[in-house]
Amino acid sequence: MASLSDSEYHDRSSQAMDALTEYFEDLGDELENDNYDVEYSSGVLTLKLATHGTYVINKQPPNKQIWLSSPFSGPERYDYDQEKKTWFCRHKDESLGTLLSREVSEALETDVVVPIN
Amino acid sequence: MFSLAKQITPRISTLGRLQQPSMKLGRAVGARFYHEKVIDHYENPRNMGSLDKHDPTVGTGLVGAPACGDVMRLQIKVDDDNNIVDVKFKTFGCGSAIASSSYITERVRGMNIEEALKIKNTDIAKELCLPPVKLHCSMLAEDAIKSAIKDFRTKRGGELRSAPASA
């Protein structure tokens, strides 16, 4: 599978990061929890999930990856899979969206479906 | 060759510098500090140095990438019973990366390589109280020991003597 060009990486990662930011901001508005916070700057998304811990999701341009730090499952790296059209971790055999949806749903005890490819 | 990067301020890959309280776009960014355990490893790194990579009993693991900001080289010397009898590291990167690799060399010294393969990045992160953004450093240290063991095994041509039977 051919790897992404720099501009493709830039577009796809920005798309994903923007979608995540918007989703978690909206979720925060719904929850109205003082301990919930979302911040996105310089390619780094920081999501404070109430008392559960902090997610850090960031672009990693040298590797053309998105890096995740989860308070539940720890660090992970995602490559853009052009066949699956999603940010995918071969090591865990699942996409970033799937992991986030599962973990955040469990933590917040509500149905969360993170809309990123 | 790598030199131990004595960086005064920590780095996170492409994110720019983390430092004491700073004003950014008119808003104060919270102060962040290194845990004292990380500072201890940074100032007193354990097992810093190198082993002879041509020695058939030495496995060398090299992980990371300069572009990402962290590179770790971890070397192990293994005896006939597959025990790690010596270990050295050199790391280029932030304080957390240096501490993670220093700490893992302490852990694996004296271990059988099968045991060493079981070390998880979560153990390292917990011990050093790494913040979320630095968990990747602990993952890299786990990668480094696995890489060193893999190199050792490759050199041995897959001919592993079995570990001593436990009493």
Side-chain angles (χ1 to χ4, degrees), chain A residues 39 41-44 54-56 58-63 67-71 73-77 91, chain B residues 12-15 24 27 29 65 67-70 121-122 131-140 143:
Chain A
E39 194 190 313
S41 78
S42 309
V44 183
T54 301
Y55 281 93
V56 178
N58 66 283
K59 291 184 188 179
Q60 187 69 356
N63 289 354
W67 282 17
L68 164 78
S69 173
S70 159
S73 50
E76 196 51 84
R77 303 172 191 186
H91 177 230
Chain B
I12 317 167
S13 55
T14 59
L15 303 182
K24 219 174 173 188
R27 205 172 101 249
V29 175
C68 292
D70 288 327
N121 61 83
T122 40
V133 71
K134 295 296 183 179
L135 296 189
H136 294 284
C137 300
S138 65
M139 187 70 233
L140 201 61
D143 288 344

Side-chain angles (χ1 to χ4, degrees), chain A residues 28-110:
Chain A
D29 291 340
E30 266 180 61
L31 293 173
E32 291 178 3
N33 185 328
D34 281 342
N35 284 330
Y36 182 102
D37 190 52
V38 182
E39 194 190 313
Y40 181 49
S41 78
S42 309
V44 183
L45 172 60
T46 305
L47 168 64
K48 284 200 182 71
L49 210 61
T51 51
H52 302 285
T54 301
Y55 281 93
V56 178
I57 305 169
N58 66 283
K59 291 184 188 179
Q60 187 69 356
N63 289 354
K64 296 193 181 143
Q65 291 175 329
I66 290 181
W67 282 17
L68 164 78
S69 173
S70 159
F72 305 106
S73 50
E76 196 51 84
R77 303 172 191 186
Y78 294 84
D79 296 284
Y80 190 75
D81 186 315
Q82 284 169 322
E83 269 172 42
K84 297 183 167 68
K85 299 216 181 305
T86 190
W87 291 93
F88 198 76
C89 171
R90 265 171 293 147
H91 177 230
K92 283 200 166 88
D93 194 31
E94 76 176 346
S95 72
L96 175 58
T98 305
L99 180 139
L100 286 175
S101 302
R102 181 183 68 245
E103 288 189 355
V104 178
S105 293
E106 228 178 278
L108 299 181
E109 290 173 357
T110 183

Side-chain angles (χ1 to χ4, degrees), chain B residues 33-133:
Chain B
F33 303 94
Y34 279 129
H35 193 274
E36 59 183 15
K37 285 180 175 173
V38 172
I39 294 174
D40 181 33
H41 278 276
Y42 183 79
E43 294 185 341
N44 307 297
R46 304 15 174 181
N47 307 307
M48 195 181 68
S50 30
L51 298 173
D52 178 8
K53 68 176 182 199
H54 299 296
D55 184 329
T57 65
V58 168
T60 299
L62 186 61
V63 296
C68 292
D70 288 327
V71 183
M72 290 179 188
R73 187 185 70 195
L74 196 142
Q75 295 179 295
I76 51 172
K77 185 175 175 64
V78 185
D79 71 10
D80 291 343
D81 294 322
N82 288 333
N83 293 319
I84 296 171
V85 294
D86 200 4
V87 54
K88 294 281 182 209
F89 87 100
K90 274 193 178 181
T91 292
F92 169 77
C94 69
S96 298
I98 291 166
S100 296
S101 42
S102 168
Y103 172 66
I104 209 176
T105 64
E106 268 191 313
R107 280 287 301 269
V108 302
R109 185 180 282 281
M111 269 191 180
N112 190 279
I113 56 180
E114 291 301 332
E115 258 186 286
L117 284 174
K118 294 183 186 156
I119 295 177
K120 292 256 135 269
N121 61 83
T122 40
D123 302 337
I124 303 169
K126 224 174 258 168
E127 165 66 23
L128 299 174
C129 305
L130 296 183
V133 71

